[in-house]
Amino acid sequence: MTDTANADQVAYWNAGAGETWAALQAQLDRQLEPLGQRTLQALGPKPGEHILDIGCGAGQTTLALAQACRPGGSALGLDISRPLLQLARERATADVTFLEADAQTFAFAPASFDAAFSRFGVMFFADPAAAFANIRKGLKPGGRLAFVCWRAPAENPFMTLPMAAAAPLLPPQAPPTPGGPGPFAFADPELVRKILAAAGFSGVEITPHDQKIGSGDLDQAITVALRVGPLGAALREHPDKRETVIDAVRGALSAHDGPEGVKLDSASWIVTARS
């Protein structure tokens, strides 16, 4: 990729983060799939439609969109992470295309998609209003948009509980940059409304969705917690602390272990709009 509008995110998702997500693809897909399915229902794809999947990752959502558009439809998955796109392309079907590109700046053919979709792939733009304006150019008049994004960290213990358990054993962590790209960049629904309005979308609806999610059994949940999310980021900075925090994380997660594995509360927004 030559575009530098989101250079920091391109570097991030093509280095440690992208490789980690690729290595844990099965567990992370298991964790996020229920929320993607709920968002797909909100989008309502129809046979014969052509749909854009923004931040497609390893392709699970793109494949689901293509299946919903059969016969006669297709899905295009866009992502900036080569490690994840490599997995996606290995899973591709005839009606699915994967492209390494940044949705903020990619030159979409005007009015080429019936709808755009994203499962947690739209919170990382350097300029969200510009990104959504660019995405809207690729939508047909009246085209649909549906995405899911996280609410506040305090409402998402599936992500914050492991870090809370480990925090006393780690050096103090710097807080995230306010308003910067990141998992919780769209936690404020009024900010999301303003961004979409500035990009030219109308009929914006933002619905809270709460659901317990999990990546698998206790060992799988510990593996994910140590490599992904706030704790994963902390341990990448302090790898020598990994063994120190394992028992604390195991204790916190084991309290939520059950017949379907470890499941914790998640809180997200399901956002829909029209171009």
Side-chain angles (χ1 to χ4, degrees):
M1 291 181 59
T2 58
D3 178 71
T4 58
N6 289 306
D8 289 346
Q9 291 296 318
V10 170
Y12 179 79
W13 287 104
N14 280 288
E19 292 167 357
T20 296
W21 276 67
L24 298 174
Q25 170 259 316
Q27 294 96 318
L28 292 168
D29 274 348
R30 185 182 302 121
Q31 180 170 270
L32 299 178
E33 183 176 17
L35 308 181
Q37 286 294 331
R38 175 64 186 83
T39 311
L40 189 144
Q41 293 169 11
L43 181 69
K46 303 175 183 66
E49 288 192 323
H50 303 284
I51 299 184
L52 171 67
D53 187 8
I54 305 156
C56 65
Q60 184 187 55
T61 50
T62 321
L63 294 168
L65 289 164
Q67 183 176 17
C69 293
R70 292 173 188 152
S74 66
L76 170 65
L78 226 63
D79 208 289
I80 58 174
S81 174
R82 284 186 291 278
L84 288 170
L85 285 170
Q86 181 176 343
L87 289 179
R89 287 168 176 148
E90 291 171 1
R91 308 162 81 184
T93 54
D95 48 5
V96 169
T97 302
F98 292 106
L99 185 63
E100 182 187 347
D102 184 349
Q104 180 172 320
T105 55
F106 182 70
F108 294 108
S112 54
F113 297 102
D114 297 283
F117 170 96
S118 184
R119 186 184 76 182
F120 304 109
V122 295
M123 304 93 70
F124 303 96
F125 295 121
D127 187 339
F132 279 104
N134 190 52
I135 291 163
R136 190 172 67 85
K137 291 177 185 176
L139 290 173
K140 297 176 182 178
R144 309 185 311 285
L145 170 70
F147 65 84
V148 58
C149 57
W150 298 119
R151 296 193 338 242
E155 298 179 86
N156 280 287
F158 91 94
M159 200 179 298
T160 58
L161 180 67
M163 184 64 193
L169 305 171
L170 292 168
Q173 302 299 301
T177 304
F184 300 107
F186 283 7
D188 179 358
E190 291 311 309
L191 173 63
V192 175
R193 289 185 190 280
K194 289 178 182 177
I195 289 170
L196 292 178
F201 283 92
S202 61
V204 177
E205 295 187 12
I206 303 177
T207 305
H209 180 70
D210 299 88
Q211 186 171 0
K212 288 185 180 295
I213 60 174
S215 56
D217 62 23
L218 180 58
D219 286 340
Q220 290 171 317
I222 292 169
T223 297
V224 171
L226 294 175
R227 298 186 65 186
V228 176
L231 179 55
L235 291 177
R236 282 193 291 275
E237 292 184 13
H238 306 282
D240 57 305
K241 300 293 185 180
R242 186 180 184 278
E243 294 303 318
T244 306
V245 307
I246 288 178
D247 287 344
V249 173
R250 180 179 294 275
L253 293 178
S254 63
H256 301 273
D257 196 9
E260 297 181 348
V262 175
K263 291 211 168 180
L264 290 162
D265 289 334
S266 76
S268 54
W269 299 116
I270 308 292
V271 182
T272 58
R274 286 192 175 270
S275 61

